C-alpha cells in the first residue's frame, strides 16, 4: 500500500500483549498515531501505560513473549510487521534510532565511549579508521562534549548523567535517522542539564530535519518541545491533538489530571514533585475494569463509563480526538 508521501510513520490499531502466568496481558490496545517528517510528537502518560513498549515495537526490540499486531504499521512505505530481518536491521539504527530510557544501562560499561560510537559508524558507513575516528570526534563535539578526542577514551562510568545522555544521542544520530525515538531522555537529569539536552535535541532536529517521538511522563516537557501530543492511559490513546489545542482545551479528565501537575512557569520542577498527582492507580493488566479504563479514578464517572469503553470522538479539523463519554466542556468558552 502506498502511503501519503508526507507520513513518516503510520500506526493503526496497534495491539501488544504478553504471554504470562496470569494469562495474556493486553498492554497496548488499538493505538493509532502518525508521525510526520521533522515534527515532534510527544507521548505522555503515567508509568506502565505502554510508552516504552510502543517504541520497542517500532524498533522490533520486544521480547519473544510479546505479540504485536496492527492493521497498519508502516515506516514510509515499508510494512514493519512483514519486513525481513535484513530490512529491519537496515531501518533500525539508520532510519529510525532510539535513545533508551536508561542511558547508564544502554551504554556497555566494558567498552570506551569511542569504541561504542565508532562501531556504530563503522557498521553504517564504513570508512578508514582515521575517517571513522574523525566522524566520532565530530559527533561528540556536535552533541556538546568538550575535549571530544580525549573523551573517546572514557568509559561510561567516567561520565556524568548528562554526558552519558549526550553520548547516547551521538550514537543515535550517527546515521542521521529520519525518526528519533527519545524515551524519557531527561528524566534522570537535573533541571539545568535537562534544559540543555532538550535544546540539543531541538538543534539536531532542525539540522537533520528529523522527526522525534518524545516519550515522557512529564507533560511540561511535551508542552515545551512538541507540536502534537498523544496522551496514553493503560495502553490506549485517551486524547491527542495539537499541543496548544490539547493544553488549552483538554477534553479528557485524565489529561486534566496530568495538566493539574503542570506548574506555572514561575514554579521550579522541585515544586512540581510536591504537587498532588491523580489519586488511584493504573489498572492491573490482568484485571482491567470494564468500560472506560479511567473510570475507577475519574471524578466525572457516569453509569455508561462503567459499561462501555468509549470510541474516539473528534473535536476539530486538526484531529483533536478524545476517548471519553463525558468530555470536558470547552475551556476557552467557560
Ligand atoms: N516483558 C514484559 N512482560 C510482561 N509485561 C510487560 C513486559 N514489558 C512491559 N510489560 C508491561 O507492559 C505495560 C507497559 O509497560 P511500559 O514499559 O511500556 O510502560 P511505560 O509507559 O514505558 O512506563 P514508564 O513510564 O515507567 O517507563 C506495563 O504494565 C508493563 O508491566
Ligand atoms: Mg518506559
Amino acid at each position: 500500500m502506498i502511503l501519503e508521501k508526507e507520513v513518516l510513520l503510520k500506526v493503526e490499531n496497534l495491539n501488544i500483549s504478553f504471554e504470562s502466568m496470569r494469562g495474556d496481558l493486553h498492554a497496548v490496545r488499538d493505538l493509532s498515531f502518525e508521525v510526520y517528517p521533522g515534527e515532534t510528537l510527544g507521548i505522555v502518560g503515567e508509568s506502565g501505560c505502554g510508552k516504552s513498549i510502543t517504541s520497542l515495537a517500532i524498533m522490533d526490540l520486544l521480547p519473544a513473549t510479546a505479540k504485536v499486531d496492527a492493521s497498519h504499521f508502516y515506516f514510509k512505505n515499508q510494512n514493519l510487521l512483514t519486513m525481513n530481518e535484513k530490512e529491519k536491521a537496515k531501518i533500525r539504527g539508520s532510519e529510525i534510532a532510539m535513545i533508551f530510557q536508561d542511558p547508564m544501562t544502554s551504554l556497555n560499561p566494558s567498552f570506551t565511549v569511542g569504541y561504542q560510537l565508532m562501531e556504530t559508524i563503522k557498521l553504517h558507513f564504513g570508512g578508514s579508521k582515521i575517517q571513522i575516528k574523525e566522524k566520532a570526534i565530530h559527533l561528540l563535539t556536535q552533541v556538546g562534549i568538550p575535549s571530544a578526542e580525549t573523551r573517546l577514551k572514557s568509559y561510561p562510568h567516567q561520565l556524568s548523567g548528562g554526558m552519558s545522555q549526550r553520548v547516547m544521542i551521538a550514537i543515535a544520530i550517527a546515521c542521521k535517522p529520519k525518526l528519533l525515538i527519545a524515551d524519557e531522555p531527561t528524566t534522570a537529569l537535573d533541571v539545568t542539564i535537562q534544559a540543555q539536552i532538550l535544546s540539543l535535541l531541538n538543534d539536531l532536529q532542525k539540522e537533520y530535519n528529523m522527526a522525534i517521538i518524545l516519550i515522557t511522563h512529564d507533560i511540561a516537557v511535551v508542552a515545551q518541545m512538541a507540536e502534537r501530543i498523544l496522551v496514553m492511559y493503560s495502553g490506549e490513546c485517551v486524547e491527542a491533538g495539537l499541543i496548544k489545542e490539547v493544553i488549552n482545551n483538554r477534553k479528557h479528565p485524565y489529561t486534566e489530571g496530568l495538566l493539574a501537575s503542570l506548574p506555572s512557569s514561575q514554579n521550579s520542577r522541585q515544586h512540581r514533585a510536591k504537587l498532588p498527582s491523580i489519586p488511584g492507580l493504573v489498572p492491573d493488566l490482568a484485571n482491567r475494569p470494564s468500560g472506560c479504563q479511567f473510570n475507577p479514578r475519574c471524578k466525572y464517572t457516569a453509569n455508561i463509563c462503567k459499561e462501555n469503553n468509549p470510541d474516539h470522538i473528534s473535536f476539530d479539523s486538526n484531529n483533536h480526538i478524545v476517548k471519553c463519554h463525558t468530555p470536558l466542556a470547552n475551556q476557552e468558552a467557560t
Side-chain angles (χ1 to χ4, degrees):
M1 181 175 181
I2 307 291
L3 292 175
E4 306 92 296
K5 203 171 161 219
E6 67 271 22
V7 181
L8 199 58
L9 178 75
K10 187 170 172 101
V11 177
E12 233 171 65
N13 300 314
L14 174 69
N15 284 279
I16 304 173
S17 47
F18 295 97
E19 290 164 22
S20 85
M21 307 282 274
R22 303 192 301 151
D24 265 12
L25 304 176
H26 197 166
V28 168
R29 306 206 299 184
D30 286 330
L31 184 69
S32 302
F33 63 92
E34 289 164 1
V35 180
Y36 296 88
E39 75 159 345
T40 299
L41 170 72
I43 301 186
V44 70
E46 285 166 297
S47 189
C49 70
K51 305 180 297 293
S52 292
I53 58 170
T54 298
S55 36
L56 294 174
I58 297 166
M59 296 294 285
D60 192 36
L61 290 176
L62 283 169
T65 50
K67 219 165 60 194
V68 179
D69 70 61
S71 59
H72 209 97
F73 201 35
Y74 273 64
F75 180 74
K76 295 191 197 159
N77 286 327
Q78 294 155 287
N79 186 340
L80 293 169
L81 290 178
T82 56
M83 65 176 54
N84 62 35
E85 287 306 318
K86 208 172 147 197
E87 290 165 331
K88 277 180 199 164
K90 202 171 152 220
I91 281 198
R92 194 193 305 149
S94 59
E95 297 215 66
I96 310 178
M98 182 162 171
I99 306 168
F100 293 91
Q101 192 159 357
D102 184 355
M104 296 305 189
T105 56
S106 351
L107 286 173
N108 190 325
S110 317
F111 295 103
T112 61
V113 162
Y115 178 83
Q116 295 182 61
L117 183 53
M118 289 191 280
E119 278 301 291
T120 307
I121 298 167
K122 195 160 95 189
L123 188 69
H124 292 283
F125 294 106
S128 69
K129 267 192 175 165
I130 292 174
Q131 285 167 329
I132 293 172
K133 189 175 172 190
E134 274 172 5
K135 192 159 174 35
I137 293 170
H138 174 75
L139 277 164
L140 288 188
T141 310
Q142 201 178 13
V143 298
I145 293 188
S147 320
E149 186 160 7
T150 318
R151 274 296 172 199
L152 288 177
K153 299 187 200 101
S154 300
Y155 284 87
H157 74 268
Q158 296 171 311
L159 303 176
S160 66
M163 283 293 163
S164 301
Q165 196 56 293
R166 286 176 193 273
V167 171
M168 287 303 302
I169 294 172
I171 292 173
I173 60 157
C175 308
K176 303 190 175 164
K178 286 279 158 265
L179 173 63
L180 177 70
I181 305 174
D183 191 357
E184 305 273 8
T186 57
T187 308
L189 307 174
D190 75 43
V191 83
T192 322
I193 310 291
Q194 163 166 335
Q196 289 170 5
I197 296 287
L198 293 177
S199 134
L200 170 65
L201 285 174
N202 250 330
D203 293 346
L204 294 169
Q205 174 171 46
K206 285 194 197 105
E207 184 166 344
Y208 292 129
N209 188 31
M210 176 173 76
I212 298 181
I213 297 179
L214 180 67
I215 294 174
T216 174
H217 58 264
D218 189 341
I219 206 162
V221 168
V222 173
Q224 183 193 333
M225 293 282 289
E227 282 93 42
R228 290 190 304 122
I229 181 172
L230 188 159
V231 182
M232 280 183 83
Y233 185 74
S234 196
E236 299 178 336
C237 166
V238 293
E239 183 159 9
L242 294 175
I243 185 76
K244 281 194 187 130
E245 169 68 16
V246 171
I247 287 190
N248 294 332
N249 250 330
R250 73 230 41 188
K251 295 286 176 197
H252 200 286
Y254 181 61
T255 313
E256 183 183 50
L258 290 180
L259 284 167
S261 60
L262 186 68
S264 66
S265 52
Q266 296 89 339
N267 281 356
S268 72
R269 291 172 53 79
Q270 278 76 10
H271 279 115
R272 179 175 43 231
K274 292 179 198 144
L275 292 170
S277 57
I278 305 166
L281 296 173
V282 292
D284 174 0
L285 296 183
N287 193 15
R288 283 180 173 278
S290 58
C292 169
Q293 296 303 291
F294 189 58
N295 92 72
R297 299 171 75 185
C298 181
K299 51 186 179 186
Y300 310 103
T301 299
N303 281 341
I304 189 172
C305 310
K306 297 178 190 160
E307 289 157 12
N308 297 326
N309 199 6
D311 291 329
H312 285 113
I313 42 177
S314 189
F315 275 91
D316 64 22
S317 53
N318 291 321
N319 279 338
H320 182 186
I321 54 166
V322 68
K323 187 175 168 59
C324 182
H325 289 298
T326 56
L328 304 173
N330 199 324
Q331 311 287 307
E332 281 166 354
T334 54

Coordinates of all heavy atoms in Angstrom, one line a residue, residues 138-208:
H138 N 33.7 14.5 15.6 CA 32.8 15.5 15.1 C 31.4 15.3 15.8 O 30.8 16.3 16.3 CB 32.6 15.4 13.6 CG 31.5 16.2 13.0 ND1 31.7 17.6 12.9 CD2 30.3 16.0 12.6 CE1 30.6 18.1 12.4 NE2 29.7 17.2 12.2
L139 N 31.0 14.1 15.9 CA 29.6 13.8 16.6 C 29.7 14.2 18.0 O 28.7 14.9 18.5 CB 29.3 12.3 16.4 CG 28.6 12.0 15.1 CD1 28.7 10.4 14.9 CD2 27.2 12.5 15.0
L140 N 30.7 13.8 18.7 CA 30.8 14.2 20.2 C 30.8 15.7 20.3 O 30.2 16.3 21.3 CB 32.0 13.6 20.8 CG 32.0 12.0 21.1 CD1 33.2 11.6 21.9 CD2 30.7 11.6 21.8
T141 N 31.5 16.4 19.5 CA 31.6 17.8 19.5 C 30.2 18.4 19.3 O 29.8 19.3 20.0 CB 32.6 18.4 18.5 OG1 33.8 17.7 18.6 CG2 32.8 19.9 18.7
Q142 N 29.5 17.8 18.3 CA 28.2 18.3 17.9 C 27.2 18.2 19.1 O 26.3 19.0 19.2 CB 27.7 17.5 16.7 CG 26.6 18.2 16.0 CD 26.2 17.4 14.7 OE1 26.5 16.2 14.6 NE2 25.4 18.0 13.9
V143 N 27.3 17.1 19.9 CA 26.4 17.0 21.0 C 26.9 17.7 22.2 O 26.4 17.5 23.3 CB 26.1 15.5 21.3 CG1 25.4 14.8 20.1 CG2 27.3 14.7 21.7
G144 N 27.9 18.5 22.1 CA 28.4 19.4 23.2 C 29.3 18.7 24.2 O 29.3 19.1 25.3
I145 N 30.1 17.8 23.7 CA 31.1 17.2 24.7 C 32.4 17.8 24.5 O 33.0 17.7 23.4 CB 31.1 15.6 24.5 CG1 29.8 15.0 24.9 CG2 32.3 15.0 25.2 CD1 29.7 13.6 25.0
P146 N 32.9 18.5 25.5 CA 34.2 19.2 25.4 C 35.4 18.2 25.3 O 35.2 17.0 25.8 CB 34.3 20.1 26.6 CG 33.3 19.5 27.6 CD 32.3 18.7 26.8
S147 N 36.4 18.6 24.7 CA 37.6 17.7 24.5 C 37.2 16.3 24.0 O 37.5 15.3 24.6 CB 38.4 17.5 25.9 OG 38.4 18.7 26.6
A148 N 36.5 16.4 22.9 CA 35.9 15.1 22.3 C 37.0 14.0 22.1 O 36.7 12.9 22.4 CB 35.2 15.5 21.1
E149 N 38.1 14.4 21.6 CA 39.1 13.4 21.3 C 39.5 12.6 22.5 O 39.7 11.4 22.5 CB 40.3 14.0 20.6 CG 41.3 13.0 20.1 CD 42.2 13.5 19.0 OE1 42.2 14.7 18.7 OE2 43.0 12.6 18.5
T150 N 39.7 13.4 23.6 CA 40.1 12.7 24.9 C 39.0 11.9 25.4 O 39.2 10.8 25.9 CB 40.4 13.8 25.9 OG1 41.2 14.8 25.3 CG2 41.2 13.3 27.1
R151 N 37.8 12.4 25.3 CA 36.6 11.7 25.8 C 36.3 10.3 25.1 O 35.7 9.4 25.7 CB 35.3 12.5 25.6 CG 35.1 13.5 26.7 CD 34.8 12.8 28.0 NE 34.7 13.7 29.1 CZ 34.9 13.3 30.4 NH1 35.1 12.0 30.7 NH2 34.8 14.1 31.4
L152 N 36.9 10.2 23.9 CA 36.7 8.9 23.2 C 37.3 7.7 24.0 O 36.8 6.6 24.0 CB 37.4 8.9 21.9 CG 36.9 9.7 20.7 CD1 37.8 9.7 19.5 CD2 35.5 9.2 20.4
K153 N 38.3 8.1 24.9 CA 38.9 7.0 25.7 C 38.2 6.8 27.0 O 38.6 5.9 27.8 CB 40.4 7.5 25.9 CG 41.2 7.6 24.7 CD 42.7 7.9 25.0 CE 43.4 8.5 23.8 NZ 43.6 10.0 23.9
S154 N 37.2 7.6 27.3 CA 36.5 7.4 28.6 C 35.6 6.2 28.6 O 35.0 5.8 27.5 CB 35.6 8.6 28.9 OG 36.3 9.8 29.0
Y155 N 35.4 5.6 29.7 CA 34.4 4.5 29.9 C 33.2 5.2 30.4 O 33.2 6.2 31.1 CB 35.0 3.5 30.9 CG 36.0 2.6 30.3 CD1 37.3 2.9 30.2 CD2 35.6 1.4 29.6 CE1 38.3 2.1 29.6 CE2 36.5 0.6 29.0 CZ 37.9 1.0 29.0 OH 38.8 0.2 28.4
P156 N 32.0 4.5 30.2 CA 30.7 5.1 30.6 C 30.7 5.6 32.1 O 30.2 6.6 32.4 CB 29.7 4.0 30.3 CG 30.3 3.3 29.1 CD 31.8 3.3 29.4
H157 N 31.3 4.8 33.0 CA 31.3 5.1 34.4 C 32.0 6.4 34.7 O 31.8 7.0 35.8 CB 31.7 4.0 35.3 CG 33.2 3.8 35.3 ND1 33.9 3.0 34.4 CD2 34.2 4.4 36.0 CE1 35.2 3.1 34.6 NE2 35.4 3.9 35.6
Q158 N 32.8 6.8 33.8 CA 33.6 8.1 34.0 C 32.8 9.3 33.6 O 33.3 10.4 33.7 CB 34.9 8.0 33.2 CG 35.8 6.9 33.8 CD 37.1 6.7 32.9 OE1 37.0 6.6 31.7 NE2 38.2 6.6 33.6
L159 N 31.6 9.1 33.1 CA 30.8 10.2 32.6 C 29.7 10.6 33.5 O 29.1 9.7 34.2 CB 30.2 9.9 31.2 CG 31.1 9.4 30.1 CD1 30.2 9.0 28.9 CD2 32.0 10.5 29.7
S160 N 29.3 11.8 33.6 CA 28.2 12.2 34.4 C 26.9 11.8 33.6 O 27.0 11.4 32.4 CB 28.1 13.8 34.5 OG 27.9 14.3 33.2
G161 N 25.7 11.9 34.3 CA 24.5 11.5 33.6 C 24.2 12.3 32.4 O 23.8 11.7 31.3
G162 N 24.5 13.6 32.4 CA 24.2 14.4 31.2 C 25.2 14.1 30.1 O 24.8 14.0 28.9
M163 N 26.4 13.8 30.4 CA 27.4 13.4 29.4 C 27.0 12.1 28.8 O 27.1 11.9 27.6 CB 28.8 13.3 30.0 CG 29.5 14.6 30.3 SD 29.9 15.4 28.7 CE 30.1 17.1 29.3
S164 N 26.6 11.1 29.6 CA 26.2 9.8 29.1 C 25.0 10.0 28.1 O 25.0 9.4 27.1 CB 25.7 8.9 30.2 OG 26.6 8.7 31.2
Q165 N 24.1 10.9 28.5 CA 23.0 11.1 27.6 C 23.4 11.7 26.3 O 22.9 11.4 25.2 CB 21.9 12.0 28.3 CG 20.5 12.0 27.7 CD 19.9 10.6 27.6 OE1 20.4 9.7 26.8 NE2 18.9 10.3 28.3
R166 N 24.4 12.6 26.4 CA 24.9 13.2 25.1 C 25.6 12.1 24.2 O 25.4 12.1 23.0 CB 25.9 14.3 25.5 CG 25.2 15.6 26.0 CD 26.3 16.6 26.4 NE 25.7 17.7 27.2 CZ 25.1 18.8 26.6 NH1 25.1 18.9 25.3 NH2 24.6 19.7 27.4
V167 N 26.3 11.2 24.9 CA 26.9 10.1 24.1 C 25.8 9.3 23.4 O 25.9 8.9 22.3 CB 27.8 9.3 25.0 CG1 28.3 8.0 24.3 CG2 29.0 10.1 25.5
M168 N 24.8 9.0 24.2 CA 23.7 8.2 23.6 C 23.1 8.9 22.4 O 22.7 8.3 21.4 CB 22.6 8.0 24.7 CG 22.9 7.0 25.8 SD 23.3 5.4 25.1 CE 21.9 5.0 24.2
I169 N 23.0 10.2 22.6 CA 22.4 11.0 21.4 C 23.3 10.9 20.2 O 22.9 10.7 19.1 CB 22.1 12.4 21.9 CG1 21.0 12.4 22.9 CG2 21.7 13.3 20.7 CD1 20.7 13.7 23.6
A170 N 24.6 11.0 20.5 CA 25.6 11.0 19.4 C 25.5 9.7 18.7 O 25.5 9.6 17.5 CB 27.0 11.2 20.0
I171 N 25.4 8.6 19.5 CA 25.3 7.2 18.8 C 24.0 7.2 18.0 O 24.0 6.7 16.9 CB 25.3 6.1 19.9 CG1 26.7 6.1 20.5 CG2 24.9 4.8 19.3 CD1 26.9 5.1 21.7
A172 N 22.9 7.7 18.6 CA 21.6 7.6 17.9 C 21.6 8.5 16.6 O 21.0 8.0 15.6 CB 20.5 8.1 18.8
I173 N 22.3 9.6 16.6 CA 22.2 10.5 15.4 C 23.3 10.2 14.4 O 23.4 10.8 13.3 CB 22.2 12.0 15.7 CG1 23.5 12.3 16.5 CG2 21.0 12.4 16.5 CD1 23.8 13.8 16.3
A174 N 24.2 9.2 14.8 CA 25.4 9.0 13.9 C 24.9 8.7 12.5 O 25.6 9.0 11.5 CB 26.2 7.8 14.5
C175 N 23.8 8.0 12.3 CA 23.3 7.7 11.0 C 22.3 8.6 10.4 O 21.6 8.3 9.4 CB 22.7 6.3 11.0 SG 23.8 5.1 11.8
K176 N 22.2 9.8 11.0 CA 21.2 10.8 10.5 C 19.8 10.2 10.3 O 19.3 10.1 9.2 CB 21.7 11.4 9.2 CG 23.0 12.1 9.4 CD 23.3 12.9 8.1 CE 24.7 13.6 8.4 NZ 25.3 14.1 7.2
P177 N 19.2 9.6 11.4 CA 17.9 9.0 11.3 C 16.8 10.0 10.9 O 16.9 11.2 11.2 CB 17.7 8.4 12.6 CG 18.4 9.3 13.6 CD 19.7 9.7 12.8
K178 N 15.8 9.5 10.2 CA 14.7 10.3 9.9 C 13.7 10.4 11.1 O 12.9 11.3 11.2 CB 13.9 9.7 8.7 CG 14.6 9.8 7.4 CD 14.4 11.2 6.8 CE 15.4 11.7 5.8 NZ 16.5 12.5 6.4
L179 N 13.8 9.4 11.9 CA 13.0 9.4 13.1 C 13.8 9.0 14.4 O 14.5 8.0 14.3 CB 11.8 8.4 13.0 CG 10.9 8.1 14.2 CD1 10.2 9.4 14.6 CD2 9.9 7.0 13.9
L180 N 13.7 9.9 15.4 CA 14.4 9.6 16.6 C 13.4 9.4 17.7 O 12.5 10.2 17.9 CB 15.3 10.7 17.0 CG 16.1 10.6 18.3 CD1 17.1 9.5 18.2 CD2 16.7 11.9 18.8
I181 N 13.5 8.2 18.3 CA 12.6 7.9 19.5 C 13.4 8.2 20.7 O 14.4 7.6 21.0 CB 12.0 6.5 19.5 CG1 11.4 6.2 18.1 CG2 11.1 6.3 20.6 CD1 10.9 4.7 17.9
A182 N 12.9 9.2 21.5 CA 13.6 9.5 22.7 C 12.8 9.2 23.9 O 11.7 9.8 24.2 CB 13.9 11.0 22.7
D183 N 13.1 8.1 24.6 CA 12.3 7.5 25.7 C 12.8 8.1 27.0 O 13.9 7.7 27.5 CB 12.4 6.0 25.6 CG 11.4 5.4 26.6 OD1 10.6 6.1 27.3 OD2 11.3 4.1 26.6
E184 N 12.1 9.1 27.5 CA 12.4 9.7 28.8 C 13.9 10.2 28.7 O 14.7 9.8 29.6 CB 12.3 8.8 30.0 CG 10.9 8.1 30.1 CD 10.0 9.0 30.9 OE1 10.3 10.1 31.2 OE2 8.9 8.5 31.2
P185 N 14.2 11.1 27.8 CA 15.7 11.4 27.6 C 16.2 12.3 28.7 O 17.4 12.4 28.8 CB 15.7 12.2 26.3 CG 14.3 12.7 26.1 CD 13.4 11.7 26.8
T186 N 15.4 12.8 29.6 CA 15.9 13.7 30.6 C 15.5 13.4 32.0 O 15.8 14.2 32.9 CB 15.5 15.2 30.2 OG1 14.0 15.2 30.2 CG2 16.0 15.6 28.9
T187 N 14.8 12.3 32.2 CA 14.2 12.1 33.5 C 15.2 12.0 34.6 O 15.0 12.6 35.7 CB 13.4 10.7 33.5 OG1 12.6 10.8 32.4 CG2 12.6 10.5 34.7
A188 N 16.4 11.4 34.3 CA 17.3 11.2 35.4 C 18.2 12.4 35.7 O 19.1 12.4 36.5 CB 18.2 10.0 35.1
L189 N 18.0 13.5 34.9 CA 18.9 14.6 34.9 C 18.4 15.8 35.7 O 17.2 16.0 35.8 CB 19.2 15.1 33.5 CG 19.6 14.0 32.5 CD1 19.7 14.5 31.1 CD2 21.0 13.4 33.0
D190 N 19.3 16.6 36.3 CA 18.8 17.7 37.0 C 18.3 18.8 36.0 O 18.5 18.7 34.8 CB 19.8 18.3 38.0 CG 21.0 19.0 37.4 OD1 20.7 19.8 36.5 OD2 22.1 18.8 37.8
V191 N 17.7 19.8 36.6 CA 16.9 20.7 35.7 C 17.7 21.5 34.7 O 17.3 21.6 33.5 CB 16.0 21.6 36.7 CG1 16.8 22.8 37.2 CG2 14.8 22.0 36.0
T192 N 18.9 21.9 35.1 CA 19.7 22.6 34.1 C 20.2 21.7 33.0 O 20.1 22.1 31.8 CB 21.0 23.2 34.8 OG1 20.6 23.6 36.1 CG2 21.6 24.3 34.1
I193 N 20.6 20.5 33.3 CA 21.1 19.6 32.3 C 19.9 19.2 31.4 O 20.1 19.1 30.2 CB 21.8 18.4 32.9 CG1 22.8 18.7 34.0 CG2 22.4 17.5 31.9 CD1 24.0 19.4 33.5
Q194 N 18.8 19.0 32.0 CA 17.6 18.6 31.2 C 17.3 19.7 30.1 O 17.1 19.3 29.0 CB 16.4 18.5 32.2 CG 15.1 18.6 31.4 CD 13.9 18.2 32.2 OE1 14.0 17.4 33.1 NE2 12.7 18.6 31.8
A195 N 17.4 21.0 30.5 CA 17.1 22.0 29.6 C 18.2 22.0 28.4 O 17.8 22.2 27.3 CB 17.2 23.4 30.3
Q196 N 19.4 21.7 28.8 CA 20.5 21.6 27.8 C 20.2 20.5 26.8 O 20.4 20.6 25.6 CB 21.8 21.5 28.4 CG 22.3 22.7 29.2 CD 23.6 22.4 30.0 OE1 24.1 21.3 30.0 NE2 24.0 23.3 30.8
I197 N 19.8 19.3 27.3 CA 19.6 18.2 26.5 C 18.4 18.4 25.5 O 18.5 18.1 24.3 CB 19.4 16.9 27.3 CG1 20.7 16.6 28.1 CG2 19.0 15.7 26.4 CD1 21.8 16.0 27.3
L198 N 17.4 19.0 26.1 CA 16.2 19.3 25.2 C 16.6 20.3 24.1 O 16.2 20.2 23.0 CB 15.0 19.9 26.1 CG 14.4 18.9 27.1 CD1 13.3 19.5 27.9 CD2 13.9 17.6 26.4
S199 N 17.4 21.3 24.5 CA 17.7 22.3 23.5 C 18.7 21.6 22.4 O 18.6 21.9 21.2 CB 18.3 23.5 24.2 OG 19.5 23.9 23.6
L200 N 19.5 20.7 22.9 CA 20.4 20.0 21.9 C 19.5 19.2 20.9 O 19.7 19.2 19.7 CB 21.3 19.0 22.7 CG 22.1 18.0 21.9 CD1 23.1 18.7 20.9 CD2 22.8 17.0 22.7
L201 N 18.5 18.5 21.5 CA 17.6 17.7 20.6 C 16.9 18.6 19.6 O 16.8 18.3 18.4 CB 16.5 16.9 21.4 CG 17.0 15.7 22.2 CD1 16.0 15.1 23.1 CD2 17.6 14.6 21.2
N202 N 16.5 19.8 20.1 CA 15.9 20.8 19.2 C 16.8 21.2 18.0 O 16.4 21.2 16.9 CB 15.5 22.0 20.0 CG 14.1 22.2 20.1 OD1 13.3 21.8 19.3 ND2 13.7 22.8 21.2
D203 N 18.0 21.5 18.4 CA 19.0 21.9 17.4 C 19.3 20.8 16.4 O 19.3 21.0 15.2 CB 20.4 22.3 18.0 CG 20.2 23.5 18.9 OD1 19.2 24.2 18.8 OD2 21.2 23.7 19.7
L204 N 19.4 19.6 16.9 CA 19.7 18.4 16.0 C 18.5 18.2 15.1 O 18.7 17.8 13.9 CB 20.0 17.2 16.8 CG 21.3 17.2 17.6 CD1 21.4 16.1 18.6 CD2 22.6 17.3 16.7
Q205 N 17.4 18.3 15.6 CA 16.1 18.1 14.8 C 16.1 19.1 13.6 O 15.9 18.6 12.5 CB 14.9 18.3 15.7 CG 13.6 18.3 14.9 CD 12.4 18.3 15.8 OE1 12.3 19.1 16.7 NE2 11.5 17.4 15.5
K206 N 16.4 20.3 13.9 CA 16.4 21.3 12.8 C 17.5 21.0 11.8 O 17.3 21.0 10.6 CB 16.7 22.7 13.4 CG 15.5 23.2 14.0 CD 15.6 24.7 14.3 CE 14.5 25.2 15.3 NZ 15.1 25.4 16.6
E207 N 18.7 20.6 12.3 CA 19.8 20.4 11.4 C 19.5 19.2 10.5 O 19.8 19.2 9.3 CB 21.1 20.1 12.2 CG 22.3 20.0 11.3 CD 23.6 20.0 12.0 OE1 23.6 20.5 13.2 OE2 24.6 19.6 11.4
Y208 N 18.9 18.1 11.0 CA 18.7 16.9 10.2 C 17.3 16.7 9.7 O 17.0 15.7 9.1 CB 19.0 15.7 11.1 CG 20.5 15.5 11.5 CD1 20.9 15.3 12.8 CD2 21.5 15.5 10.5 CE1 22.2 15.2 13.2 CE2 22.8 15.4 10.9 CZ 23.2 15.2 12.2 OH 24.5 15.1 12.5

